Amino acid sequence: MQPGISTHYRYFCSTYMFIELGNKRYKKITNTSYLSDFEEHLNRLEKSPNESVNARVLTLIHYANGNIDTLCIGEYRGICLNGDLLLHDEDFHNLIMDEIDFYDKKLYEKLRKK
């Protein structure tokens, strides 16, 4: 979902929800250094029954063995992996948001003009 948009309700991690939304941006990440950092952070995350997520970013993680994990990230906080809510990790959140340029100032200006 485009950044800076407020809604009356939270979006949970669902591939169906993301299919219906407009203003999608896609990015395939193949940088091995980044993916190594990503995997290291991901492996340290723990489940949390107390966290929540208002999903704005859907990440599909493709593994060499053919498996695919679904990771959702909230705009400011919240991490969900395959439907499990995880303890928030600011470094991991920022790693992803910076890599996909979520807070792109050019995009904000374009959205403001609409």
Side-chain angles (χ1 to χ4, degrees):
M1 178 179 290
Q2 52 195 41
I5 299 299
S6 297
T7 61
H8 329 307
Y9 51 91
R10 292 184 171 274
Y11 284 101
F12 194 69
C13 190
S14 164
T15 52
Y16 297 108
M17 184 267 302
F18 282 89
I19 290 169
E20 298 297 320
L21 296 174
N23 298 312
K24 290 178 254 187
R25 295 186 291 158
Y26 299 92
K27 181 172 185 179
K28 181 178 181 176
I29 301 170
T30 58
N31 177 306
T32 55
S33 176
Y34 172 83
L35 292 173
S36 177
D37 287 346
F38 178 92
E39 184 176 27
E40 183 180 318
H41 278 87
L42 182 63
N43 289 334
R44 289 192 307 229
L45 296 177
E46 298 176 20
K47 289 184 183 178
S48 172
N50 301 323
E51 297 286 332
S52 65
V53 64
N54 186 1
R56 302 303 175 106
V57 176
L58 171 68
T59 304
L60 298 176
I61 307 167
H62 295 261
Y63 297 96
N65 66 4
N67 289 340
I68 300 173
D69 281 340
T70 302
L71 179 77
C72 287
I73 305 291
E75 184 169 2
Y76 300 107
R77 66 176 295 107
I79 301 170
C80 179
L81 178 65
N82 297 327
D84 293 324
L85 292 168
L86 305 175
L87 286 173
H88 185 75
D89 181 305
E90 196 70 26
D91 291 336
F92 184 59
H93 186 271
N94 291 337
L95 179 77
I96 294 168
M97 297 307 232
D98 290 346
E99 177 65 25
I100 64 171
D101 198 19
F102 186 82
Y103 303 107
D104 178 4
K105 290 181 182 163
K106 291 178 195 168
L107 178 62
Y108 273 100
E109 285 301 315
K110 182 180 174 184
L111 294 172
R112 250 185 238 145
K113 291 177 183 177
K114 287 186 175 184

